[in-house]
């Protein structure tokens, strides 16, 4: 309950309205057990590994504070490939599955490694290297809106997010995307341009141990 209230600076009326507006989404997902434990059954029998080859989102490692880390290689996303495997509407199955199953697994792993770990938060690294302006389609915006709506059911689960290797044109797109994100969440996001790799590397190494947890691609 405190997580929900913190997300709206203890505006109980706002959070209750948000819940009411989106209740139908929760009820539908619950009816299908949040599309798990076998997500492929709800994605046209597409194996998760095949889907992730087109939508590269990978949990890997932990930060200094014990929070699990997920890397989303957004610059390598293949919208055409994704739509060959599933519909945009079916993508919500994957988002529900990610929160209700994958995130729980990551949190339990963190607790196994450190019994004092009590945060239910994650660190996200979004790598935009290779992103083209043609990727920012109406379908892309629809997916962002959809994932934002579902993440509303899991407030205060983002410790921080680093967006790295952002191309110059992304600054304009970011102004639009930021409006679709909860303001409190947006305040935890740092954006680094492709021309400022040193700063993004320093930010990564401040959160993640370079010797044991940071992937080779990032040093």
């Amino acid at each position: 309950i405190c997580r929900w209230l913190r997300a709206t600076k203890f505006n109980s009326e706002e959070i209750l309205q948000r819940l009411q507006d989106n209740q139908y989404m929760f009820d539908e997902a619950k009816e299908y057990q949040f599309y798990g434990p076998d997500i492929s059954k709800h994605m046209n029998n597409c194996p998760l590994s095949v889907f992730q080859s087109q939508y590269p989102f990978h949990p890997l490692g932990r930060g200094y504070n014990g929070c699990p880390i997920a890397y989303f290689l957004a610059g390598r996303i293949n919208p055409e490939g994704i739509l060959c495997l599933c519909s945009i509407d079916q993508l919500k199955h994957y988002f529900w599955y990610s929160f209700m199953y994958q995130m729980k697994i990551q949190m339990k792993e963190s607790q196994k490694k450190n019994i004092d770990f009590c945060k239910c938060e994650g660190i996200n690294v979004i790598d935009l290297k290779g992103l083209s302006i043609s990727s920012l389609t109406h379908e892309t915006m629809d997916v962002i809106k959809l994932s934002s709506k579902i993440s509303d059911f899991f407030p205060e689960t983002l410790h921080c997010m680093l967006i790295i290797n952002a191309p110059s044109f992304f600054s304009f797109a970011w102004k639009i995307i930021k409006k679709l994100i909860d303001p409190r969440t947006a305040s935890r996001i740092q954006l680094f341009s492709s021309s400022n790799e040193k700063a993004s590397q320093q930010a990564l190494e401040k959160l993640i141990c370079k010797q044991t947890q940071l992937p080779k691609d990032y040093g």
Side-chain angles (χ1 to χ4, degrees), residues 67-70 103 107 120-124 157-161:
C67 289
I69 307 161
M103 187 174 76
M107 295 302 168
C120 187
E121 298 176 348
I123 297 170
N124 287 351
T157 54
L158 178 69
H159 179 72
C160 69
M161 178 187 292

Side-chain angles (χ1 to χ4, degrees), residues 131-151:
L131 184 72
S132 65
I133 196 166
S134 60
S135 301
L136 301 176
T137 61
H138 288 296
E139 288 83 2
T140 302
M141 292 303 175
D142 287 342
V143 171
I144 292 172
K145 289 177 184 177
L146 182 61
S147 63
S148 181
K149 275 190 174 183
I150 294 174
S151 65

Side-chain angles (χ1 to χ4, degrees), residues 2-178:
C2 281
R3 285 183 180 277
W4 286 93
L5 290 171
R6 287 201 304 271
T8 55
K9 297 183 179 179
F10 286 81
N11 185 334
S12 57
E13 290 184 5
E14 181 182 340
I15 201 66
L16 287 171
Q17 186 62 51
R18 188 189 298 182
L19 283 167
Q20 186 176 348
D21 290 344
N22 295 323
Q23 184 65 40
Y24 73 95
M25 295 179 67
F26 183 88
D27 291 341
E28 180 185 355
K30 186 178 180 182
E31 184 179 350
Y32 292 95
Q33 296 182 309
F34 302 100
Y35 310 103
D38 184 3
I39 182 62
S40 66
K41 292 180 180 178
H42 305 280
M43 302 280 284
N44 296 329
N45 291 316
C46 172
L48 181 60
S49 59
V50 175
F51 173 76
Q52 288 181 325
S53 71
Q54 307 300 303
Y55 189 90
F57 182 87
H58 305 291
L60 183 66
R62 273 148 190 78
Y64 283 118
N65 60 1
C67 289
I69 307 161
Y71 296 86
F72 180 35
L73 311 182
R76 300 183 194 175
I77 194 171
N78 184 356
E80 293 82 5
I82 292 170
L83 292 176
C84 284
L85 299 172
C86 64
S87 66
I88 289 180
D89 189 57
Q90 285 176 316
L91 277 174
K92 68 184 177 186
H93 303 167
Y94 172 74
F95 295 136
W96 278 112
Y97 170 80
S98 293
F99 277 109
M100 294 300 290
Y101 291 91
Q102 286 190 314
M103 187 174 76
K104 285 183 179 180
I105 291 171
Q106 292 301 313
M107 295 302 168
K108 287 178 180 178
E109 286 297 318
S110 290
Q111 289 173 334
K112 283 182 182 178
K113 292 180 182 299
N114 180 3
I115 59 173
D116 295 324
F117 177 79
C118 59
K119 290 178 179 287
C120 187
E121 298 176 348
I123 297 170
N124 287 351
V125 179
I126 314 296
D127 189 349
L128 301 184
K129 187 176 183 179
L131 184 72
S132 65
I133 196 166
S134 60
S135 301
L136 301 176
T137 61
H138 288 296
E139 288 83 2
T140 302
M141 292 303 175
D142 287 342
V143 171
I144 292 172
K145 289 177 184 177
L146 182 61
S147 63
S148 181
K149 275 190 174 183
I150 294 174
S151 65
D152 268 354
F153 287 97
F154 305 90
E156 299 292 292
T157 54
L158 178 69
H159 179 72
C160 69
M161 178 187 292
L162 303 183
I163 302 177
I164 62 176
N165 295 318
S168 56
F169 67 81
F170 186 76
S171 57
F172 174 74
W174 176 238
K175 292 178 182 178
I176 300 173
I177 295 170
K178 200 172 182 179

Side-chain angles (χ1 to χ4, degrees), residues 156 158 161 181-189:
E156 299 292 292
L158 178 69
M161 178 187 292
I181 303 172
D182 178 79
R184 192 173 169 91
T185 299
S187 68
R188 300 179 183 184
I189 301 174

